[in-house]
Amino acid sequence: QVQLVESGGGLVQPGESLRLSCTGSNDLKYTAIGWFHQAPGKEREGIGCIRNNNGLTFYSDSVKGRFTVSSDKPKNMVYLQMANIKLEDTGVYFCAIGGVCGSDYMGPRWDYWGQGTHVTVST
C-alpha cells in the first residue's frame, strides 16, 4: 500500500510564501506527482504536477506564476512552493501519484492520495 504524507501547512497572510512537502512510502523518482487544492465548500482542483522522470511540470491558471512544483529525488520529496499567497488559496492541499501529468494537462484520476495539509490565509 502506497502512503503519501503532506506537511508544511499553516496560517499565513496574503502575499506571504509557504512551502508544502510531500513524501511517499515508495520511490517517487520515476512517477508523476500531482498537487491538489480543496477550498472550503468546493471540489478538489488539480493545481500543479511534475513528471519526476524528466522534470516536466504543469500549472493551473489559478496558480501559474505563483506556485512552483519541484522535487528532491535523493530525499524522495516533492514540494509545492507557494508565493504571493492569496485569500482564495485557503484550503486543504493534497499530493497524489499515479495520474497523468502533461505539459498542458493534468489528469483528474490519481491512484494514491495523501491525507492533506491545511493552509489558512488570513489577514
Side-chain angles (χ1 to χ4, degrees):
Q1 181 72 16
V2 176
Q3 291 185 325
L4 298 173
V5 179
E6 305 92 340
S7 61
L11 175 64
V12 294
Q13 294 186 342
E16 292 185 339
S17 297
L18 192 67
R19 190 178 77 166
L20 307 182
S21 301
C22 171
T23 190
S25 58
N26 65 326
D27 192 342
L28 302 178
K29 194 181 301 183
Y30 301 110
T31 191
I33 300 94
W35 281 99
F36 297 77
H37 170 229
Q38 187 165 21
K42 296 190 176 181
E43 291 189 357
R44 192 160 53 190
E45 171 199 13
I47 58 172
C49 59
I50 185 168
R51 264 199 223 157
N52 235 1
N53 61 341
N54 61 11
L56 181 145
T57 55
F58 165 82
Y59 299 98
S60 68
D61 288 342
S62 62
V63 305
K64 195 176 295 182
R66 299 190 299 122
F67 292 7
T68 304
V69 181
S70 63
S71 68
D72 186 331
K73 292 178 184 177
K75 294 183 179 179
N76 205 40
M77 298 287 288
V78 176
Y79 303 105
L80 179 69
Q81 180 68 50
M82 306 167 67
N84 190 21
I85 291 175
K86 302 178 180 180
L87 289 171
E88 53 263 40
D89 295 326
T90 290
V92 184
Y93 287 78
F94 302 87
C95 65
I97 63 171
V100 174
C101 180
S103 59
D104 59 357
Y105 175 75
M106 180 175 176
R109 293 187 182 87
W110 294 68
D111 296 328
Y112 299 99
W113 296 81
Q115 294 297 308
T117 185
H118 290 257
V119 174
T120 301
V121 186
S122 175
T123 58

